[in-house]
Amino acid sequence: MATFKTRGIILKRTNFSEADRLLVIFSESRGKIKAIAKGAKKQGSRLAGNLEPFCLTNFCLAEGRNF
């Protein structure tokens, strides 16, 4: 799996499973990206505050077969 870093704005966030969230991100270099944030809905998650809509954040993403 290839990983890449990009900067982008979160356009949409939906609950995906019990502890995951599905994000739609608009990035500077790659355009619109769909990504899964694993464990973002857990109680002690540090990701939760940075994954609000319209937040400008830096991402480190891994490419897979889906999303």
Side-chain angles (χ1 to χ4, degrees):
M1 274 192 240
T3 60
F4 61 94
K5 292 182 181 180
T6 187
R7 185 174 167 184
I9 296 176
I10 298 175
L11 300 176
K12 185 179 175 183
R13 136 192 118 168
T14 55
N15 295 334
F16 187 65
S17 66
E18 192 172 315
D20 305 335
R21 284 206 167 124
L22 180 65
L23 304 173
V24 177
I25 304 164
F26 184 75
S27 71
E28 296 174 337
S29 59
R30 298 204 175 223
K32 188 171 137 181
I33 302 169
K34 289 185 182 178
I36 296 177
K38 296 282 188 177
K41 279 178 37 182
K42 288 186 178 179
Q43 281 285 1
S45 176
R46 294 181 182 183
L47 295 174
N50 296 324
L51 297 179
E52 295 296 320
F54 306 112
C55 284
L56 179 65
T57 56
N58 294 321
F59 296 97
C60 182
L61 303 170
E63 287 188 61
R65 285 180 255 155
N66 294 333
F67 296 129

